[in-house]
Amino acid sequence: GTLRKSIFLEVLGESYIPLSFQLAREADPVAKLYYNDFNLEVIPAKAAAAKDLIRAVQAAGAPIDGIGFQAHLTVGQTPPRIGYAALMNEFVALGLEVAITELDIAHATLPPSQEDLEAQAKDYIAAVGACLDVERCVGVTVWQFTDKYSWVEKMFPGKGQPCLFTADFEAKPAYTALKAMLKETINKKKEAVAALASSPAISCFVDMWPFSSSSFFGTVGLGTVSTAIVSGLSGVLWLIVIALFSYLI
């Protein structure tokens, strides 16, 4: 949970982190500024240090919009869905949006058995499901879709095959499981919309002050409102703009 040694830390001290966010905002006022890091899911001390870092950035008056969980995970060591979502919400409580930015879940030994592939599928469900359970989790990005181009085996010999498709571009159980879960989620939201669309209309009072001295009543169908809300929830925002890689170790 300490800052990695770098020329920036040596010369500027810890102030280089809020300074980096401030300069990034000045360079691009509309960019989403994220702090992006790895092992936040599996090392509590590092997650705690990341929260302290974010508080320091905010205390300095620098802008920060979100935190990215790199999520380079290992089969059998992925946090459970409930626990992962709870951790995300701890960062949401700091006023941030969250995202999973580099998801892959590698097998600790190769080749994987069928049981290992099923375990990998469950871990993918846990990670993506956690994002679905957190209102301000804006998206999931996988780190390569095929094992053919994965970085893991090159970096950690004997470990690997972390992606949703094999090196021969065949869908794994993880892909099939994720597809089914997302389809079920969308169908449930459609059912919720349909149920609300059949609800009676309600009367709404809208105060136009200070733009007008008058106020008015209007009638709005619940279905219209719910459709707008749920259709927004069912989409997935994939744009992740990362301003700073300030890794904790």
Side-chain angles (χ1 to χ4, degrees), residues 188-232:
K188 286 182 178 179
K189 292 186 184 297
K190 287 181 178 178
E191 291 171 1
V193 170
L196 287 172
S198 63
S199 301
I202 59 173
S203 294
C204 299
F205 177 74
V206 182
D207 189 350
M208 298 299 290
W209 185 90
F211 305 104
S212 170
S213 59
S214 64
S215 299
F216 66 93
F217 283 91
T219 301
V220 180
L222 266 176
T224 303
V225 178
S226 64
T227 299
I229 294 173
V230 176
S231 63

mmCIF file of all heavy atoms in Angstrom, residues 188-232:
data_model
loop_
_atom_site.group_PDB
_atom_site.id
_atom_site.type_symbol
_atom_site.label_atom_id
_atom_site.label_comp_id
_atom_site.label_asym_id
_atom_site.label_seq_id
_atom_site.Cartn_x
_atom_site.Cartn_y
_atom_site.Cartn_z
ATOM 1 N N LYS A 188 -35.015 -9.001 -17.717
ATOM 2 C CA LYS A 188 -35.644 -8.570 -16.472
ATOM 3 C C LYS A 188 -35.955 -7.080 -16.518
ATOM 4 O O LYS A 188 -37.010 -6.640 -16.036
ATOM 5 C CB LYS A 188 -34.746 -8.901 -15.288
ATOM 6 C CG LYS A 188 -34.711 -10.375 -14.920
ATOM 7 C CD LYS A 188 -33.843 -10.613 -13.698
ATOM 8 C CE LYS A 188 -33.851 -12.097 -13.310
ATOM 9 N NZ LYS A 188 -32.983 -12.353 -12.128
ATOM 10 N N LYS A 189 -35.058 -6.300 -17.095
ATOM 11 C CA LYS A 189 -35.304 -4.865 -17.187
ATOM 12 C C LYS A 189 -36.460 -4.575 -18.151
ATOM 13 O O LYS A 189 -37.271 -3.672 -17.920
ATOM 14 C CB LYS A 189 -34.027 -4.150 -17.621
ATOM 15 C CG LYS A 189 -32.931 -4.182 -16.571
ATOM 16 C CD LYS A 189 -31.739 -3.360 -16.962
ATOM 17 C CE LYS A 189 -30.626 -3.476 -15.940
ATOM 18 N NZ LYS A 189 -31.013 -2.966 -14.620
ATOM 19 N N LYS A 190 -36.540 -5.351 -19.237
ATOM 20 C CA LYS A 190 -37.652 -5.182 -20.166
ATOM 21 C C LYS A 190 -38.976 -5.508 -19.485
ATOM 22 O O LYS A 190 -39.977 -4.820 -19.697
ATOM 23 C CB LYS A 190 -37.449 -6.078 -21.384
ATOM 24 C CG LYS A 190 -36.358 -5.616 -22.337
ATOM 25 C CD LYS A 190 -36.246 -6.559 -23.524
ATOM 26 C CE LYS A 190 -35.192 -6.092 -24.509
ATOM 27 N NZ LYS A 190 -35.053 -7.030 -25.655
ATOM 28 N N GLU A 191 -38.982 -6.553 -18.658
ATOM 29 C CA GLU A 191 -40.193 -6.918 -17.941
ATOM 30 C C GLU A 191 -40.591 -5.822 -16.959
ATOM 31 O O GLU A 191 -41.781 -5.526 -16.793
ATOM 32 C CB GLU A 191 -39.975 -8.245 -17.200
ATOM 33 C CG GLU A 191 -39.850 -9.451 -18.124
ATOM 34 C CD GLU A 191 -39.427 -10.713 -17.386
ATOM 35 O OE1 GLU A 191 -39.262 -10.634 -16.139
ATOM 36 O OE2 GLU A 191 -39.254 -11.757 -18.039
ATOM 37 N N ALA A 192 -39.593 -5.218 -16.324
ATOM 38 C CA ALA A 192 -39.882 -4.130 -15.392
ATOM 39 C C ALA A 192 -40.484 -2.935 -16.111
ATOM 40 O O ALA A 192 -41.412 -2.291 -15.628
ATOM 41 C CB ALA A 192 -38.598 -3.725 -14.654
ATOM 42 N N VAL A 193 -39.945 -2.644 -17.300
ATOM 43 C CA VAL A 193 -40.480 -1.546 -18.102
ATOM 44 C C VAL A 193 -41.916 -1.829 -18.496
ATOM 45 O O VAL A 193 -42.800 -0.970 -18.397
ATOM 46 C CB VAL A 193 -39.621 -1.313 -19.361
ATOM 47 C CG1 VAL A 193 -40.311 -0.335 -20.305
ATOM 48 C CG2 VAL A 193 -38.255 -0.791 -18.974
ATOM 49 N N ALA A 194 -42.177 -3.052 -18.938
ATOM 50 C CA ALA A 194 -43.525 -3.420 -19.372
ATOM 51 C C ALA A 194 -44.517 -3.302 -18.223
ATOM 52 O O ALA A 194 -45.652 -2.837 -18.398
ATOM 53 C CB ALA A 194 -43.522 -4.842 -19.926
ATOM 54 N N ALA A 195 -44.091 -3.709 -17.022
ATOM 55 C CA ALA A 195 -44.971 -3.632 -15.870
ATOM 56 C C ALA A 195 -45.284 -2.186 -15.511
ATOM 57 O O ALA A 195 -46.431 -1.833 -15.223
ATOM 58 C CB ALA A 195 -44.340 -4.348 -14.681
ATOM 59 N N LEU A 196 -44.261 -1.340 -15.566
ATOM 60 C CA LEU A 196 -44.474 0.062 -15.232
ATOM 61 C C LEU A 196 -45.270 0.789 -16.312
ATOM 62 O O LEU A 196 -46.018 1.713 -16.034
ATOM 63 C CB LEU A 196 -43.120 0.751 -15.017
ATOM 64 C CG LEU A 196 -42.393 0.396 -13.716
ATOM 65 C CD1 LEU A 196 -40.992 0.973 -13.725
ATOM 66 C CD2 LEU A 196 -43.161 0.909 -12.512
ATOM 67 N N ALA A 197 -45.090 0.362 -17.568
ATOM 68 C CA ALA A 197 -45.808 1.008 -18.670
ATOM 69 C C ALA A 197 -47.308 0.813 -18.548
ATOM 70 O O ALA A 197 -48.089 1.613 -19.063
ATOM 71 C CB ALA A 197 -45.309 0.446 -20.002
ATOM 72 N N SER A 198 -47.721 -0.255 -17.889
ATOM 73 C CA SER A 198 -49.150 -0.527 -17.727
ATOM 74 C C SER A 198 -49.724 0.157 -16.488
ATOM 75 O O SER A 198 -50.922 0.042 -16.206
ATOM 76 C CB SER A 198 -49.389 -2.035 -17.618
ATOM 77 O OG SER A 198 -48.753 -2.562 -16.453
ATOM 78 N N SER A 199 -48.878 0.877 -15.738
ATOM 79 C CA SER A 199 -49.349 1.572 -14.541
ATOM 80 C C SER A 199 -50.166 2.791 -14.925
ATOM 81 O O SER A 199 -49.988 3.369 -16.010
ATOM 82 C CB SER A 199 -48.149 2.009 -13.692
ATOM 83 O OG SER A 199 -47.371 0.903 -13.313
ATOM 84 N N PRO A 200 -51.084 3.234 -14.062
ATOM 85 C CA PRO A 200 -51.867 4.440 -14.353
ATOM 86 C C PRO A 200 -50.988 5.671 -14.354
ATOM 87 O O PRO A 200 -49.915 5.701 -13.749
ATOM 88 C CB PRO A 200 -52.877 4.476 -13.203
ATOM 89 C CG PRO A 200 -52.219 3.715 -12.096
ATOM 90 C CD PRO A 200 -51.444 2.622 -12.781
ATOM 91 N N ALA A 201 -51.456 6.705 -15.043
ATOM 92 C CA ALA A 201 -50.722 7.961 -15.095
ATOM 93 C C ALA A 201 -50.763 8.639 -13.739
ATOM 94 O O ALA A 201 -51.637 8.377 -12.916
ATOM 95 C CB ALA A 201 -51.323 8.878 -16.159
ATOM 96 N N ILE A 202 -49.794 9.504 -13.480
ATOM 97 C CA ILE A 202 -49.771 10.256 -12.227
ATOM 98 C C ILE A 202 -49.716 11.732 -12.553
ATOM 99 O O ILE A 202 -49.274 12.144 -13.634
ATOM 100 C CB ILE A 202 -48.556 9.871 -11.360
ATOM 101 C CG1 ILE A 202 -47.245 10.147 -12.120
ATOM 102 C CG2 ILE A 202 -48.618 8.422 -10.930
ATOM 103 C CD1 ILE A 202 -46.006 9.964 -11.272
ATOM 104 N N SER A 203 -50.190 12.552 -11.628
ATOM 105 C CA SER A 203 -50.148 14.002 -11.816
ATOM 106 C C SER A 203 -48.870 14.540 -11.219
ATOM 107 O O SER A 203 -48.453 14.149 -10.134
ATOM 108 C CB SER A 203 -51.354 14.661 -11.143
ATOM 109 O OG SER A 203 -52.549 14.277 -11.788
ATOM 110 N N CYS A 204 -48.229 15.438 -11.941
ATOM 111 C CA CYS A 204 -46.961 16.009 -11.501
ATOM 112 C C CYS A 204 -47.097 17.526 -11.411
ATOM 113 O O CYS A 204 -47.662 18.149 -12.303
ATOM 114 C CB CYS A 204 -45.834 15.667 -12.476
ATOM 115 S SG CYS A 204 -45.538 13.911 -12.652
ATOM 116 N N PHE A 205 -46.555 18.089 -10.327
ATOM 117 C CA PHE A 205 -46.534 19.538 -10.161
ATOM 118 C C PHE A 205 -45.129 20.015 -10.444
ATOM 119 O O PHE A 205 -44.161 19.545 -9.848
ATOM 120 C CB PHE A 205 -46.949 19.921 -8.738
ATOM 121 C CG PHE A 205 -46.878 21.394 -8.462
ATOM 122 C CD1 PHE A 205 -47.828 22.253 -8.984
ATOM 123 C CD2 PHE A 205 -45.853 21.912 -7.692
ATOM 124 C CE1 PHE A 205 -47.762 23.615 -8.720
ATOM 125 C CE2 PHE A 205 -45.783 23.258 -7.438
ATOM 126 C CZ PHE A 205 -46.744 24.124 -7.950
ATOM 127 N N VAL A 206 -44.975 20.934 -11.359
ATOM 128 C CA VAL A 206 -43.656 21.418 -11.757
ATOM 129 C C VAL A 206 -43.568 22.900 -11.478
ATOM 130 O O VAL A 206 -44.366 23.687 -12.001
ATOM 131 C CB VAL A 206 -43.381 21.153 -13.253
ATOM 132 C CG1 VAL A 206 -41.983 21.615 -13.607
ATOM 133 C CG2 VAL A 206 -43.569 19.677 -13.566
ATOM 134 N N ASP A 207 -42.644 23.308 -10.658
ATOM 135 C CA ASP A 207 -42.435 24.713 -10.330
ATOM 136 C C ASP A 207 -41.369 25.271 -11.258
ATOM 137 O O ASP A 207 -40.228 24.814 -11.248
ATOM 138 C CB ASP A 207 -41.996 24.840 -8.863
ATOM 139 C CG ASP A 207 -41.981 26.286 -8.393
ATOM 140 O OD1 ASP A 207 -42.114 27.176 -9.245
ATOM 141 O OD2 ASP A 207 -41.847 26.491 -7.185
ATOM 142 N N MET A 208 -41.724 26.237 -12.052
ATOM 143 C CA MET A 208 -40.808 26.772 -13.063
ATOM 144 C C MET A 208 -39.925 27.899 -12.523
ATOM 145 O O MET A 208 -39.091 28.428 -13.234
ATOM 146 C CB MET A 208 -41.615 27.299 -14.258
ATOM 147 C CG MET A 208 -42.440 26.228 -14.964
ATOM 148 S SD MET A 208 -41.413 24.907 -15.637
ATOM 149 C CE MET A 208 -40.601 25.781 -16.971
ATOM 150 N N TRP A 209 -40.122 28.328 -11.269
ATOM 151 C CA TRP A 209 -39.306 29.404 -10.723
ATOM 152 C C TRP A 209 -37.831 29.029 -10.760
ATOM 153 O O TRP A 209 -37.494 27.888 -10.521
ATOM 154 C CB TRP A 209 -39.719 29.664 -9.272
ATOM 155 C CG TRP A 209 -39.018 30.839 -8.668
ATOM 156 C CD1 TRP A 209 -39.411 32.126 -8.666
ATOM 157 C CD2 TRP A 209 -37.758 30.803 -7.981
ATOM 158 N NE1 TRP A 209 -38.512 32.903 -8.015
ATOM 159 C CE2 TRP A 209 -37.466 32.129 -7.588
ATOM 160 C CE3 TRP A 209 -36.843 29.798 -7.668
ATOM 161 C CZ2 TRP A 209 -36.310 32.469 -6.905
ATOM 162 C CZ3 TRP A 209 -35.685 30.131 -6.988
ATOM 163 C CH2 TRP A 209 -35.425 31.460 -6.603
ATOM 164 N N PRO A 210 -36.892 29.915 -11.119
ATOM 165 C CA PRO A 210 -37.090 31.344 -11.320
ATOM 166 C C PRO A 210 -37.370 31.737 -12.765
ATOM 167 O O PRO A 210 -37.321 32.913 -13.099
ATOM 168 C CB PRO A 210 -35.765 31.942 -10.846
ATOM 169 C CG PRO A 210 -34.767 30.908 -11.285
ATOM 170 C CD PRO A 210 -35.466 29.565 -11.102
ATOM 171 N N PHE A 211 -37.583 30.733 -13.637
ATOM 172 C CA PHE A 211 -37.721 31.041 -15.052
ATOM 173 C C PHE A 211 -39.100 31.573 -15.391
ATOM 174 O O PHE A 211 -39.307 32.169 -16.422
ATOM 175 C CB PHE A 211 -37.439 29.787 -15.876
ATOM 176 C CG PHE A 211 -36.097 29.184 -15.552
ATOM 177 C CD1 PHE A 211 -35.989 28.046 -14.764
ATOM 178 C CD2 PHE A 211 -34.937 29.793 -15.977
ATOM 179 C CE1 PHE A 211 -34.750 27.520 -14.445
ATOM 180 C CE2 PHE A 211 -33.690 29.262 -15.670
ATOM 181 C CZ PHE A 211 -33.600 28.128 -14.899
ATOM 182 N N SER A 212 -40.070 31.354 -14.512
ATOM 183 C CA SER A 212 -41.423 31.815 -14.767
ATOM 184 C C SER A 212 -42.110 32.053 -13.439
ATOM 185 O O SER A 212 -41.823 31.384 -12.449
ATOM 186 C CB SER A 212 -42.203 30.778 -15.581
ATOM 187 O OG SER A 212 -43.574 31.098 -15.632
ATOM 188 N N SER A 213 -43.005 33.012 -13.423
ATOM 189 C CA SER A 213 -43.729 33.288 -12.192
ATOM 190 C C SER A 213 -44.893 32.341 -12.001
ATOM 191 O O SER A 213 -45.544 32.346 -10.972
ATOM 192 C CB SER A 213 -44.252 34.735 -12.213
ATOM 193 O OG SER A 213 -45.109 34.927 -13.331
ATOM 194 N N SER A 214 -45.180 31.542 -13.030
ATOM 195 C CA SER A 214 -46.302 30.625 -12.954
ATOM 196 C C SER A 214 -45.829 29.191 -12.777
ATOM 197 O O SER A 214 -44.690 28.863 -13.081
ATOM 198 C CB SER A 214 -47.143 30.732 -14.232
ATOM 199 O OG SER A 214 -46.388 30.328 -15.347
ATOM 200 N N SER A 215 -46.702 28.341 -12.275
ATOM 201 C CA SER A 215 -46.442 26.913 -12.160
ATOM 202 C C SER A 215 -47.543 26.178 -12.872
ATOM 203 O O SER A 215 -48.598 26.742 -13.175
ATOM 204 C CB SER A 215 -46.399 26.491 -10.691
ATOM 205 O OG SER A 215 -45.369 27.175 -10.002
ATOM 206 N N PHE A 216 -47.317 24.921 -13.179
ATOM 207 C CA PHE A 216 -48.344 24.190 -13.897
ATOM 208 C C PHE A 216 -48.378 22.743 -13.479
ATOM 209 O O PHE A 216 -47.402 22.208 -12.952
ATOM 210 C CB PHE A 216 -48.119 24.301 -15.416
ATOM 211 C CG PHE A 216 -46.861 23.616 -15.899
ATOM 212 C CD1 PHE A 216 -46.885 22.295 -16.349
ATOM 213 C CD2 PHE A 216 -45.657 24.291 -15.898
ATOM 214 C CE1 PHE A 216 -45.722 21.672 -16.785
ATOM 215 C CE2 PHE A 216 -44.504 23.669 -16.344
ATOM 216 C CZ PHE A 216 -44.534 22.364 -16.782
ATOM 217 N N PHE A 217 -49.543 22.119 -13.732
ATOM 218 C CA PHE A 217 -49.704 20.698 -13.503
ATOM 219 C C PHE A 217 -49.592 19.967 -14.830
ATOM 220 O O PHE A 217 -50.015 20.474 -15.863
ATOM 221 C CB PHE A 217 -51.086 20.408 -12.891
ATOM 222 C CG PHE A 217 -51.169 20.751 -11.436
ATOM 223 C CD1 PHE A 217 -51.579 22.010 -11.028
ATOM 224 C CD2 PHE A 217 -50.811 19.818 -10.483
ATOM 225 C CE1 PHE A 217 -51.657 22.322 -9.686
ATOM 226 C CE2 PHE A 217 -50.891 20.131 -9.134
ATOM 227 C CZ PHE A 217 -51.312 21.384 -8.728
ATOM 228 N N GLY A 218 -49.019 18.774 -14.791
ATOM 229 C CA GLY A 218 -48.978 17.964 -15.998
ATOM 230 C C GLY A 218 -49.245 16.520 -15.645
ATOM 231 O O GLY A 218 -49.093 16.119 -14.500
ATOM 232 N N THR A 219 -49.646 15.739 -16.612
ATOM 233 C CA THR A 219 -49.882 14.322 -16.402
ATOM 234 C C THR A 219 -48.847 13.532 -17.169
ATOM 235 O O THR A 219 -48.677 13.722 -18.368
ATOM 236 C CB THR A 219 -51.286 13.921 -16.875
ATOM 237 O OG1 THR A 219 -52.233 14.687 -16.144
ATOM 238 C CG2 THR A 219 -51.532 12.444 -16.618
ATOM 239 N N VAL A 220 -48.122 12.662 -16.472
ATOM 240 C CA VAL A 220 -47.030 11.896 -17.072
ATOM 241 C C VAL A 220 -47.274 10.421 -16.805
ATOM 242 O O VAL A 220 -47.562 10.029 -15.678
ATOM 243 C CB VAL A 220 -45.660 12.300 -16.471
ATOM 244 C CG1 VAL A 220 -44.552 11.483 -17.104
ATOM 245 C CG2 VAL A 220 -45.413 13.784 -16.667
ATOM 246 N N GLY A 221 -47.170 9.588 -17.831
ATOM 247 C CA GLY A 221 -47.294 8.148 -17.633
ATOM 248 C C GLY A 221 -46.045 7.583 -16.996
ATOM 249 O O GLY A 221 -44.935 7.921 -17.389
ATOM 250 N N LEU A 222 -46.219 6.767 -15.983
ATOM 251 C CA LEU A 222 -45.065 6.136 -15.335
ATOM 252 C C LEU A 222 -44.228 5.356 -16.336
ATOM 253 O O LEU A 222 -43.022 5.273 -16.225
ATOM 254 C CB LEU A 222 -45.542 5.199 -14.225
ATOM 255 C CG LEU A 222 -45.606 5.775 -12.803
ATOM 256 C CD1 LEU A 222 -46.202 4.732 -11.875
ATOM 257 C CD2 LEU A 222 -44.236 6.189 -12.324
ATOM 258 N N GLY A 223 -44.872 4.762 -17.319
ATOM 259 C CA GLY A 223 -44.155 3.978 -18.312
ATOM 260 C C GLY A 223 -43.138 4.797 -19.062
ATOM 261 O O GLY A 223 -42.030 4.355 -19.345
ATOM 262 N N THR A 224 -43.498 6.035 -19.379
ATOM 263 C CA THR A 224 -42.566 6.915 -20.099
ATOM 264 C C THR A 224 -41.327 7.178 -19.267
ATOM 265 O O THR A 224 -40.194 7.078 -19.737
ATOM 266 C CB THR A 224 -43.257 8.252 -20.432
ATOM 267 O OG1 THR A 224 -44.423 7.985 -21.178
ATOM 268 C CG2 THR A 224 -42.315 9.150 -21.231
ATOM 269 N N VAL A 225 -41.542 7.508 -17.996
ATOM 270 C CA VAL A 225 -40.410 7.793 -17.116
ATOM 271 C C VAL A 225 -39.543 6.558 -16.921
ATOM 272 O O VAL A 225 -38.324 6.606 -17.045
ATOM 273 C CB VAL A 225 -40.928 8.305 -15.752
ATOM 274 C CG1 VAL A 225 -39.768 8.556 -14.809
ATOM 275 C CG2 VAL A 225 -41.762 9.565 -15.946
ATOM 276 N N SER A 226 -40.181 5.430 -16.640
ATOM 277 C CA SER A 226 -39.416 4.210 -16.360
ATOM 278 C C SER A 226 -38.658 3.724 -17.574
ATOM 279 O O SER A 226 -37.556 3.215 -17.474
ATOM 280 C CB SER A 226 -40.350 3.107 -15.853
ATOM 281 O OG SER A 226 -41.286 2.745 -16.843
ATOM 282 N N THR A 227 -39.251 3.908 -18.765
ATOM 283 C CA THR A 227 -38.561 3.478 -19.976
ATOM 284 C C THR A 227 -37.255 4.238 -20.146
ATOM 285 O O THR A 227 -36.205 3.682 -20.462
ATOM 286 C CB THR A 227 -39.451 3.688 -21.208
ATOM 287 O OG1 THR A 227 -40.629 2.917 -21.060
ATOM 288 C CG2 THR A 227 -38.722 3.259 -22.479
ATOM 289 N N ALA A 228 -37.298 5.540 -19.900
ATOM 290 C CA ALA A 228 -36.094 6.355 -20.022
ATOM 291 C C ALA A 228 -35.037 5.913 -19.032
ATOM 292 O O ALA A 228 -33.855 5.798 -19.350
ATOM 293 C CB ALA A 228 -36.444 7.826 -19.815
ATOM 294 N N ILE A 229 -35.464 5.634 -17.795
ATOM 295 C CA ILE A 229 -34.504 5.242 -16.761
ATOM 296 C C ILE A 229 -33.909 3.868 -17.054
ATOM 297 O O ILE A 229 -32.699 3.681 -17.061
ATOM 298 C CB ILE A 229 -35.195 5.237 -15.386
ATOM 299 C CG1 ILE A 229 -35.602 6.671 -15.012
ATOM 300 C CG2 ILE A 229 -34.279 4.652 -14.314
ATOM 301 C CD1 ILE A 229 -36.443 6.746 -13.764
ATOM 302 N N VAL A 230 -34.758 2.896 -17.317
ATOM 303 C CA VAL A 230 -34.280 1.520 -17.461
ATOM 304 C C VAL A 230 -33.484 1.340 -18.737
ATOM 305 O O VAL A 230 -32.499 0.612 -18.770
ATOM 306 C CB VAL A 230 -35.474 0.537 -17.418
ATOM 307 C CG1 VAL A 230 -34.991 -0.883 -17.655
ATOM 308 C CG2 VAL A 230 -36.167 0.630 -16.070
ATOM 309 N N SER A 231 -33.860 2.032 -19.804
ATOM 310 C CA SER A 231 -33.086 1.900 -21.037
ATOM 311 C C SER A 231 -31.685 2.430 -20.838
ATOM 312 O O SER A 231 -30.724 1.920 -21.402
ATOM 313 C CB SER A 231 -33.783 2.639 -22.182
ATOM 314 O OG SER A 231 -33.854 4.026 -21.909
ATOM 315 N N GLY A 232 -31.561 3.456 -20.002
ATOM 316 C CA GLY A 232 -30.229 3.950 -19.701
ATOM 317 C C GLY A 232 -29.435 2.958 -18.888
ATOM 318 O O GLY A 232 -28.248 2.748 -19.114
#
